[in-house]
mmCIF file of all heavy atoms in Angstrom:
data_model
loop_
_atom_site.group_PDB
_atom_site.id
_atom_site.type_symbol
_atom_site.label_atom_id
_atom_site.label_comp_id
_atom_site.label_asym_id
_atom_site.label_seq_id
_atom_site.Cartn_x
_atom_site.Cartn_y
_atom_site.Cartn_z
ATOM 1 N N GLU A 61 -7.200 127.687 100.010
ATOM 2 C CA GLU A 61 -6.276 128.766 99.675
ATOM 3 C C GLU A 61 -5.638 129.354 100.961
ATOM 4 O O GLU A 61 -4.457 129.618 100.980
ATOM 5 C CB GLU A 61 -6.992 129.881 98.864
ATOM 6 C CG GLU A 61 -7.253 129.543 97.427
ATOM 7 C CD GLU A 61 -6.001 129.408 96.616
ATOM 8 O OE1 GLU A 61 -5.240 130.380 96.572
ATOM 9 O OE2 GLU A 61 -5.822 128.355 96.034
ATOM 10 N N ALA A 62 -6.506 129.610 101.941
ATOM 11 C CA ALA A 62 -6.051 130.154 103.215
ATOM 12 C C ALA A 62 -5.099 129.185 103.877
ATOM 13 O O ALA A 62 -4.059 129.585 104.363
ATOM 14 C CB ALA A 62 -7.230 130.501 104.109
ATOM 15 N N ALA A 63 -5.430 127.886 103.886
ATOM 16 C CA ALA A 63 -4.560 126.881 104.508
ATOM 17 C C ALA A 63 -3.217 126.797 103.813
ATOM 18 O O ALA A 63 -2.182 126.685 104.467
ATOM 19 C CB ALA A 63 -5.272 125.523 104.480
ATOM 20 N N ASN A 64 -3.214 126.917 102.524
ATOM 21 C CA ASN A 64 -1.987 126.888 101.728
ATOM 22 C C ASN A 64 -1.091 128.076 102.078
ATOM 23 O O ASN A 64 0.112 127.986 101.827
ATOM 24 C CB ASN A 64 -2.258 126.843 100.240
ATOM 25 C CG ASN A 64 -2.820 125.519 99.808
ATOM 26 O OD1 ASN A 64 -2.696 124.503 100.470
ATOM 27 N ND2 ASN A 64 -3.479 125.511 98.623
ATOM 28 N N ARG A 65 -1.675 129.118 102.573
ATOM 29 C CA ARG A 65 -0.859 130.325 102.946
ATOM 30 C C ARG A 65 -0.585 130.340 104.479
ATOM 31 O O ARG A 65 -0.190 131.328 104.982
ATOM 32 C CB ARG A 65 -1.593 131.567 102.494
ATOM 33 C CG ARG A 65 -1.559 131.724 100.992
ATOM 34 C CD ARG A 65 -2.264 133.012 100.565
ATOM 35 N NE ARG A 65 -1.982 133.342 99.190
ATOM 36 C CZ ARG A 65 -2.512 132.761 98.110
ATOM 37 N NH1 ARG A 65 -3.325 131.749 98.270
ATOM 38 N NH2 ARG A 65 -2.221 133.174 96.901
ATOM 39 N N GLY A 66 -0.861 129.232 105.157
ATOM 40 C CA GLY A 66 -0.491 129.126 106.570
ATOM 41 C C GLY A 66 -1.550 129.559 107.538
ATOM 42 O O GLY A 66 -1.244 129.795 108.697
ATOM 43 N N SER A 67 -2.797 129.673 107.110
ATOM 44 C CA SER A 67 -3.896 130.079 108.009
ATOM 45 C C SER A 67 -4.163 128.982 109.008
ATOM 46 O O SER A 67 -3.903 127.808 108.805
ATOM 47 C CB SER A 67 -5.148 130.373 107.226
ATOM 48 O OG SER A 67 -6.243 130.534 108.085
ATOM 49 N N ALA A 68 -4.752 129.378 110.131
ATOM 50 C CA ALA A 68 -5.253 128.443 111.110
ATOM 51 C C ALA A 68 -6.347 127.579 110.542
ATOM 52 O O ALA A 68 -6.830 126.662 111.190
ATOM 53 C CB ALA A 68 -5.722 129.156 112.370
ATOM 54 N N ALA A 69 -6.793 127.853 109.329
ATOM 55 C CA ALA A 69 -7.814 127.068 108.676
ATOM 56 C C ALA A 69 -7.400 125.594 108.556
ATOM 57 O O ALA A 69 -8.219 124.726 108.455
ATOM 58 C CB ALA A 69 -8.068 127.610 107.288
ATOM 59 N N GLU A 70 -6.117 125.362 108.634
ATOM 60 C CA GLU A 70 -5.631 123.969 108.575
ATOM 61 C C GLU A 70 -6.291 123.138 109.683
ATOM 62 O O GLU A 70 -6.542 121.945 109.528
ATOM 63 C CB GLU A 70 -4.123 123.892 108.704
ATOM 64 C CG GLU A 70 -3.408 124.576 107.565
ATOM 65 C CD GLU A 70 -1.946 124.855 107.907
ATOM 66 O OE1 GLU A 70 -1.673 125.531 108.856
ATOM 67 O OE2 GLU A 70 -1.108 124.339 107.127
ATOM 68 N N ASN A 71 -6.554 123.792 110.833
ATOM 69 C CA ASN A 71 -7.185 123.069 111.948
ATOM 70 C C ASN A 71 -8.635 122.883 111.712
ATOM 71 O O ASN A 71 -9.244 121.939 112.222
ATOM 72 C CB ASN A 71 -6.981 123.849 113.219
ATOM 73 C CG ASN A 71 -5.513 123.969 113.602
ATOM 74 O OD1 ASN A 71 -4.769 123.001 113.378
ATOM 75 N ND2 ASN A 71 -5.141 125.083 114.160
ATOM 76 N N HIS A 72 -9.288 123.719 110.923
ATOM 77 C CA HIS A 72 -10.718 123.662 110.698
ATOM 78 C C HIS A 72 -11.059 122.763 109.497
ATOM 79 O O HIS A 72 -11.983 121.989 109.564
ATOM 80 C CB HIS A 72 -11.323 125.040 110.431
ATOM 81 C CG HIS A 72 -12.666 125.026 109.864
ATOM 82 N ND1 HIS A 72 -13.790 124.759 110.617
ATOM 83 C CD2 HIS A 72 -13.105 125.187 108.574
ATOM 84 C CE1 HIS A 72 -14.836 124.782 109.765
ATOM 85 N NE2 HIS A 72 -14.472 125.021 108.586
ATOM 86 N N ALA A 73 -10.289 122.899 108.446
ATOM 87 C CA ALA A 73 -10.651 122.318 107.171
ATOM 88 C C ALA A 73 -11.010 120.797 107.212
ATOM 89 O O ALA A 73 -12.028 120.413 106.634
ATOM 90 C CB ALA A 73 -9.528 122.572 106.183
ATOM 91 N N PRO A 74 -10.229 119.966 107.846
ATOM 92 C CA PRO A 74 -10.562 118.513 107.789
ATOM 93 C C PRO A 74 -11.885 118.211 108.444
ATOM 94 O O PRO A 74 -12.555 117.226 108.038
ATOM 95 C CB PRO A 74 -9.422 117.864 108.575
ATOM 96 C CG PRO A 74 -8.298 118.849 108.485
ATOM 97 C CD PRO A 74 -8.963 120.189 108.487
ATOM 98 N N GLN A 75 -12.406 118.971 109.375
ATOM 99 C CA GLN A 75 -13.681 118.694 110.011
ATOM 100 C C GLN A 75 -14.850 119.322 109.277
ATOM 101 O O GLN A 75 -15.991 119.024 109.576
ATOM 102 C CB GLN A 75 -13.681 119.229 111.457
ATOM 103 C CG GLN A 75 -12.720 118.513 112.384
ATOM 104 C CD GLN A 75 -11.310 119.053 112.282
ATOM 105 O OE1 GLN A 75 -11.064 120.159 111.880
ATOM 106 N NE2 GLN A 75 -10.333 118.233 112.637
ATOM 107 N N SER A 76 -14.575 120.193 108.369
ATOM 108 C CA SER A 76 -15.656 120.918 107.714
ATOM 109 C C SER A 76 -16.426 120.025 106.695
ATOM 110 O O SER A 76 -15.824 119.289 105.937
ATOM 111 C CB SER A 76 -15.045 122.105 106.908
ATOM 112 O OG SER A 76 -16.061 122.774 106.178
ATOM 113 N N PRO A 77 -17.768 120.092 106.742
ATOM 114 C CA PRO A 77 -18.552 119.307 105.787
ATOM 115 C C PRO A 77 -18.202 119.610 104.320
ATOM 116 O O PRO A 77 -18.382 118.787 103.466
ATOM 117 C CB PRO A 77 -20.002 119.678 106.073
ATOM 118 C CG PRO A 77 -20.026 120.411 107.345
ATOM 119 C CD PRO A 77 -18.587 120.883 107.610
#
Side-chain angles (χ1 to χ4, degrees):
E61 285 293 303
N64 288 341
R65 289 181 166 77
S67 170
E70 296 165 301
N71 297 324
H72 165 77
Q75 293 82 24
S76 174

